[in-house]
Amino acid sequence: MTKTIKIYFSPSKTTKKVIEQVASNFEWESETYDLLNFDCEKDISSEDLAIVGMPIFAGRIPKTGRERLLKLKGNNTKAIAIANYGNAHVTDALLELVDLLKENGFDVIAAATTVSHHSIFDGVAQGRPDSEDIEKINEFSKKCLEKIESGKSLESEIPGNRPYTDYKQLPFIISCDETLCSFCYDCVSICPENAIPDDDPINTDLEQCSRCTACINICPEDARAFTGEAFEAKKPAFEKANSERKEAEFYL
C-alpha cells in the first residue's frame, strides 16, 4: 500500500474518531477526505487503502454523505467499511455502505459497526468509544492488515436487507438561542444541507435540515440545540430503550 485514505462523513466528530483510530494502526502516509466539506470527484489509486466511515441515521447512511461518497471512485482499491452508531440500531446501513463501495470500484476487505456516544440523545452510550472499544478496534485493524497481505476480499456476510429501509426525517426542531449566538457563522459554513441562511444563522430551514448535528457540535457558544415537544417527549423513552450496552461487530 502507498497511502491510507481516510474518508468520512462525521457531523458530530464521532465517526471521524473511529476512522482515525483504525488508521493509526497503519504506518503509511495518509490523506483525508472529510465529506462534510469535500464534494468533488476523485479517483482513488489501486495502490491505496481506503478506510471509509459513515454514521447511521435511522438505519441508513446519510443521503448527503452517500451522494458525496459516490464521487470518490475506486480502482479495485482495497477498502474497510465502517458504520458508526449511537447504541441504537444498525438496520441496513453497513450493508448499504458495503454495497455502495463495491459498486463504486472498491474491493471491500473488511467491515464493522462501531458504537459511539449518541449524537442526538446524549444520555445514550456516554463515553463511547471507550478503552474496551478502542482495544477491539485495534485488534480488528491488525486483522485487516493481515487480510491485505493475504490478498483476500471480504468473506463474511453483512447483515441487513435489500431494498434498504426507507429514509426517515426526524420531527425534531433545531433552534438557536439568539442571546448566546456570537454570529460567527461557523454553523452556516459547516451545514452540508445549506439549511442555515447565510445572512441569518438564528434560523434553520427544517425542511432542508437532516438533523445531522454538525451545526450543534461546531457552535463555540453552545447556542444551538434540539428543542420542542417532540424531542422532549422522545428523549427519556429512547434513552431508556437503548441503555443496554451494544458491542462493535466486525466482519472479515
Side-chain angles (χ1 to χ4, degrees), residues 89-107:
H89 306 288
V90 174
T91 318
D92 304 325
L94 183 61
L95 179 64
E96 180 183 10
L97 178 57
V98 169
D99 285 349
L100 186 156
L101 289 170
K102 287 180 177 179
E103 291 164 7
N104 220 30
F106 290 87
D107 174 19

Side-chain angles (χ1 to χ4, degrees), residues 117-210:
H117 187 195
H118 201 281
S119 61
I120 297 177
F121 299 107
D122 57 9
V124 178
Q126 292 180 337
R128 308 282 299 275
D130 56 20
S131 59
E132 185 178 338
D133 292 312
I134 297 300
E135 183 178 354
K136 290 179 179 178
I137 289 169
N138 289 340
E139 289 173 0
F140 168 70
S141 303
K142 291 170 185 174
K143 290 179 181 178
C144 289
L145 183 57
E146 294 172 3
K147 198 76 179 287
I148 292 168
E149 292 171 348
S150 74
K152 294 181 179 179
S153 299
L154 177 69
E155 297 169 303
S156 299
E157 183 175 347
I158 304 299
N161 296 290
R162 303 182 190 93
Y164 316 125
T165 188
D166 291 337
Y167 277 107
K168 299 178 180 67
Q169 176 65 293
L170 297 176
F172 308 144
I173 295 170
I174 291 182
S175 62
C176 179
D177 186 337
E178 191 169 359
T179 65
L180 296 176
C181 179
S182 63
F183 293 85
C184 67
Y185 297 93
D186 286 351
C187 58
V188 174
S189 61
I190 200 67
C191 177
E193 317 299 346
N194 296 316
I196 306 172
D198 291 345
D199 58 350
D200 186 9
I202 301 301
N203 289 316
T204 302
D205 183 341
L206 296 177
E207 292 297 318
Q208 290 288 108
C209 175
S210 64

